[in-house]
Amino acid sequence: MLGTLLVGSGGHDDSHITAWSAYALVEHGGLYNYNGVLLEQSSSLLHVLVLALLYGATGLALPTLSVLTSAAFGVATVLMAQRLGHRIDPVLALPAGLLTATSPYILYWSFGGLETTMAAFGAIWLVAAVARFMDEGPTRPATWGAVGALAFVLLTRPEAPFVCACLFLGTSALAALRAALDGKPAIHSPTVRRLVFLLGATVAASVLIASARLAVFGQAFPQPVYAKGGTLAGGLAYAPKWLC
């Protein structure tokens, strides 16, 4: 309701690129460019698949579906934040939901037609699912929940494999250091073993997704990654400029 009143329509940016990819998938049977070249133009494969499914089922205009999808995942992000807050402390549930629901960025991008809110939802879901997996251990519900959230995140954004790998690699190292300080072998730590499992799942899933892209498109990542990519030196130069 706040977004409808205050934002209306904003942040469209590259939404029509994703809309075209979904249209081509349904109408032409593949992710084809205008010139007929098989090309993954959108940065979010999962967003394309969701839009294609909705377009095939409803026949509604894809720009309309893209905004409705962004808004729906905006709502889902609020609910997932509330759920995560409740897991930490039931008292935090309502404040977590209210803070998320009134965030200007969530409101703005909830009407942008892009995968921004989908990525936000996936990130919070992953945190909640990993927390459950770490608490309960490798039970079937906890394991499948963590793997499902991880797959969702990896398919939503192309940089997700690196982000998730760094997340689990760093936390694994910290958990191993903590075990060493306690005088215990890291291999005997359930925390370390669970984090290493998640790291392995990230690497395996990322390799599988990249291999599928190579087989279909001849590229391990979507085209925007190559179009916008730079050098390591350029990235290092960008960081201080952004901080300043």
Side-chain angles (χ1 to χ4, degrees), residues 38 41 123 139 160 166 174 176 186 214 219 226 231 234 243:
L38 197 61
Q41 300 179 60
T139 62
C166 289
L174 288 174
L214 280 171
Q219 296 179 325
Y226 299 98
T231 63
L243 291 173

Side-chain angles (χ1 to χ4, degrees), residues 38-76:
L38 197 61
L39 188 69
E40 190 177 359
Q41 300 179 60
S42 173
S43 297
S44 178
L45 179 59
L46 184 60
H47 193 205
V48 170
L49 296 176
V50 169
L51 287 179
L53 180 63
L54 293 174
Y55 175 66
T58 66
L60 292 176
L62 276 161
T64 301
L65 286 173
S66 64
V67 174
L68 291 176
T69 302
S70 293
F73 273 102
V75 173

Side-chain angles (χ1 to χ4, degrees), residues 39 78 82 85 95 104 120 123 143 145 154 157 196 198 209 222:
L39 188 69
V78 173
Q82 185 168 329
T143 301
L154 293 176
R157 290 292 306 166
V196 169
L198 292 170
I209 294 170

Side-chain angles (χ1 to χ4, degrees), residues 13-25:
D13 196 17
D14 297 336
S15 59
H16 289 278
I17 295 177
T18 303
W20 165 260
S21 297
Y23 176 85
L25 181 59

Side-chain angles (χ1 to χ4, degrees), residues 2-238:
L2 281 173
T4 303
L5 293 172
L6 301 177
V7 180
S9 176
H12 280 282
D13 196 17
D14 297 336
S15 59
H16 289 278
I17 295 177
T18 303
W20 165 260
S21 297
Y23 176 85
L25 181 59
V26 175
E27 299 293 343
H28 304 298
L31 301 180
Y32 292 100
N33 193 12
Y34 276 64
N35 60 2
V37 173
L38 197 61
L39 188 69
E40 190 177 359
Q41 300 179 60
S42 173
S43 297
S44 178
L45 179 59
L46 184 60
H47 193 205
V48 170
L49 296 176
V50 169
L51 287 179
L53 180 63
L54 293 174
Y55 175 66
T58 66
L60 292 176
L62 276 161
T64 301
L65 286 173
S66 64
V67 174
L68 291 176
T69 302
S70 293
F73 273 102
V75 173
T77 300
V78 173
L79 296 175
M80 185 58 71
Q82 185 168 329
R83 180 180 175 182
L84 180 59
H86 186 275
R87 180 179 185 86
I88 298 170
D89 188 328
V91 176
L92 298 177
L94 183 58
L98 289 174
L99 285 171
T100 307
T102 55
S103 166
Y105 307 104
I106 291 291
L107 288 174
Y108 183 76
W109 289 106
S110 289
F111 295 86
L114 284 165
E115 76 281 359
T116 313
T117 51
M118 179 183 287
F121 167 80
I124 301 174
W125 179 24
L126 180 63
V127 172
V130 168
R132 180 185 179 187
F133 177 74
M134 298 303 295
D135 288 342
E136 298 181 9
T139 62
R140 183 172 296 180
T143 301
W144 281 111
V147 171
L150 180 61
F152 186 97
V153 170
L154 293 176
L155 289 171
T156 301
R157 290 292 306 166
E159 71 275 8
F162 303 102
V163 174
C164 293
C166 289
L167 169 66
F168 296 128
L169 182 62
T171 49
S172 297
L174 288 174
L177 177 61
R178 182 175 181 178
L181 291 175
D182 290 339
K184 302 176 182 178
I187 193 65
H188 293 160
S189 169
T191 300
V192 174
R193 291 201 299 269
R194 290 165 192 172
L195 289 169
V196 169
F197 168 81
L198 292 170
L199 175 61
T202 299
V203 173
S206 300
V207 170
L208 182 62
I209 294 170
S211 299
R213 282 187 165 121
L214 280 171
V216 177
F217 304 107
Q219 296 179 325
F221 296 96
Q223 177 61 24
V225 173
Y226 299 98
K228 299 177 181 179
T231 63
L232 179 60
L236 293 174
Y238 174 81

